[in-house]
Amino acid sequence: MSLSLIAFLVLVAAFAVGSFTKINAGLLATIAAFGVGTLLAGMSVKDVIGQFPAGLFFILVGATLLFAIVRINGTIDLLAYWAERLAGNRRVLVPVLMFLLTAALASAGAFTPAAIAIVAPVGLALGMRFGISTLAMGLVIVQGANAGAFSPVNPFGVLGNKMLDGAGASDGSFKLYAYCFVFNAALAVIAYVLVQAIVKRRAAKAGPIGDGAPAIAIDGGASAPSPKGTAGSGVAVLTAPAQTSVAGQSTLASGPAKVAATPMRILTLAGIASLLVLTTVLGLDVGVASLVIAGVLIILDSNVQKPALESMPWSAIILVTGIVTYVGMLEKMGALKELQEGIAGLGNSSIAALIASYVVAIVSAFASTTGTLGVISPVIEPIAMDPLLSPIGVVTAIAISSSVVDVSPMSTSGALLMASAQPKDERMFFRALLLWAIAMIGVVPLLVWFLFVQLGLG
C-alpha cells in the first residue's frame, strides 16, 4: 500500500468518525496531519503548521463575527422586513429574490464566500418567516453564488478563463459563465422543490405533536414536528423553528411587523455595502475587510461584542480549518500530485475529463475551490486541447464539478451557511449539507461530463 493511499485513508477515517460521533472531525484531522506528516511523510512540525489555512480562518472568523453583529443588532430583521414587503404574500418570490441577489453579487466580482456571508443570514431568516425550509433556502443561496461565480470578474471565473486560454479557447469566457449560471439555476430549482417536498411528506407522516410543542406550517397547511420533537432524527434542520414560522404565518395574513431603521442598523447596512466595495472593487481580503467592519461596529456599540463572540460557530471553524490543514499536508507530501499524474497518464481524453471532474468534486468538497481549480489547471489544459473535444465543454464540466460541492460543510461556503443557521441545529445542518454534497459528488460530474464533453455543448 502506497504512502499516499494510507494518507487518504487516514483522512477518510477521521472524516467518518467525525460524521457519526460527537468528536470534531477537524480536530481529528489536525492531529492526524501531524502524525501522518511527521511520522510517515518525513515532514517537520513547522511544515505541517504551515499548511494551516490562515486566510480561510480569517474569512470564517471575520465573516461570522460581522454577521453575528448584524443578527444581534437587528439589521437582519430589518432586511427581512424589507424583503418580506417586496415579496408580499407571494412566498415563491422569496427564494427567487435570494438566488438573484447572491448571483448578482458573485457576478459583480464578489468572492462566493462574501456573497453567501451577505445573503445567507437574511435569506434564512426570511425563509423562516415564510415557513420555508432553512436547508432549501440555504441550498438556493449557495447555488446563486455558484451561478455567478464564473463571471469574468469573479476569482473562479478568472481561473476558468485561464484554463480556456491554455486550451486556445479564450473567446469562450461568456459561454462558460452562461452555462454555469443556467446549470446552477436549474439545480437551485430542483434543490428547493425536492427539499420542500421531503418536508411536506415528513410533516404529513409526523401527525400531531405529542409534547404540546406548536407545529410548523409548511406549504399550505401541512405541519411538521418542532426541532425539539425531532432532535434525534436529523429532520429539524429541514424545517423552520416553530415560533418563528408561526409568527411568519400570521404576518403573511396581516402584513409584516414593522422593523425600525435605527441609526445603528443603517450604519450596519453601510458596513455590509462597504464589505462589497472593499472586496470587489478594491480587492481587499474578505476576512480582513469583515474584521475591520466588525471592529468599527463594536466600537460604535460595544454591547454587541460579548454576545457576538459567544455566538460564533467555533466548532465549525475548527472543523473546516482542520480538514483543510490535512488536505494541505497531502499536497505538500505529493499525494495530490500523484492523482494529477495518474489522470494525465490516461490515454482517452474523454475518460480523463470524467475522472478529473470527479477528482475536483471530491477534493473541492474538503478544500478551497479556488485552490482546487489552481492545482488541476495544468492537468485540464492538455485534455481540453484534444481536437475531438470541446475545450469550453471540458472546462465547464470541471468548473461546475468543482463548485457544485461548495455546499459541503467542510468548504468555506458550506461553513458560512452553517454559521447562519440556528446554533441548536448545527450538527443536523452539518449532516444535511454533507448528504447533499455527497449526492452532488455522485451525480453532477457524470451529468456535466455527458452534457458538455460527450455531447459537446459549447
Side-chain angles (χ1 to χ4, degrees), residues 122-434:
V122 180
L124 267 60
L126 184 59
M128 286 189 287
R129 293 193 183 201
F130 277 77
I132 297 174
S133 158
T134 53
L135 176 62
M137 185 63 76
L139 293 176
V140 166
I141 290 169
V142 173
Q143 295 312 136
N146 289 340
F150 286 91
S151 83
V153 297
N154 190 284
F156 285 9
V158 171
L159 290 170
N161 290 332
K162 181 181 178 182
M163 284 188 278
L164 288 176
D165 292 341
S170 56
D171 58 342
S173 175
F174 178 77
K175 284 187 176 180
L176 173 64
Y177 170 55
Y179 290 154
C180 291
F181 193 102
V182 171
F183 186 91
N184 281 285
L187 188 57
V189 173
I190 293 172
Y192 180 82
V193 172
L194 179 62
V195 174
Q196 286 292 91
I198 293 174
V199 170
K200 289 188 67 175
R201 186 178 67 180
R202 290 183 174 178
K205 289 182 178 180
I209 311 272
D211 62 2
I216 303 171
I218 302 288
D219 290 331
S223 64
S226 69
K228 177 181 177 181
T230 58
S233 65
V235 178
V237 68
L238 298 175
T239 62
Q243 63 272 24
T244 307
S245 296
V246 172
Q249 292 298 321
S250 65
T251 60
L252 289 178
S254 60
K258 185 175 181 179
V259 179
T262 63
M264 193 62 204
R265 290 170 182 168
I266 296 299
L267 287 173
T268 304
L269 289 176
I272 296 175
S274 299
L275 175 63
L276 180 60
V277 173
L278 290 172
T279 55
T280 59
V281 179
L282 301 181
L284 190 63
D285 180 80
V286 174
V288 174
S290 299
L291 282 172
V292 170
I293 296 168
V296 172
L297 293 176
I298 289 173
I299 291 173
L300 294 174
D301 182 10
S302 60
N303 291 327
V304 302
Q305 176 179 283
K306 188 174 185 294
L309 289 173
E310 290 177 347
S311 66
M312 288 177 63
W314 293 108
S315 61
I317 293 172
I318 293 172
L319 175 68
V320 175
T321 54
I323 294 292
V324 175
T325 298
Y326 193 94
V327 173
M329 185 276 300
L330 288 178
E331 184 175 1
K332 181 73 173 179
M333 66 180 286
L336 295 184
K337 186 176 181 181
E338 287 187 26
L339 276 179
Q340 297 169 23
E341 292 174 347
I343 293 173
L346 294 174
N348 188 309
S349 295
S350 179
I351 298 300
L354 175 61
I355 294 176
S357 296
Y358 272 106
V359 168
V360 296
I362 294 170
V363 174
S364 185
F366 298 95
S368 164
T369 301
T370 309
T372 302
L373 289 173
V375 169
I376 203 69
S377 179
V379 178
I380 298 303
E381 290 175 8
I383 296 174
M385 292 176 67
D386 190 320
L388 298 178
L389 302 179
S390 163
I392 298 174
V394 172
V395 174
T396 300
I398 296 298
I400 293 175
S401 297
S402 64
S403 60
V404 77
V405 295
D406 281 356
V407 72
S408 162
M410 269 70 69
S411 71
T412 309
S413 298
L416 288 171
L417 203 59
M418 285 180 61
S420 301
Q422 296 292 312
K424 59 186 175 57
D425 289 335
E426 181 181 303
R427 289 192 64 81
M428 289 180 288
F429 210 74
F430 170 83
R431 291 177 180 175
L433 292 178
L434 176 62

Side-chain angles (χ1 to χ4, degrees), residues 30-59:
T30 302
I31 297 171
F34 285 100
V36 174
T38 57
L39 299 179
L40 297 183
M43 297 169 59
S44 67
V45 172
K46 184 177 180 181
D47 286 337
V48 178
I49 292 176
Q51 307 313 308
F52 180 80
L56 175 59
F57 175 79
F58 280 110
I59 288 174

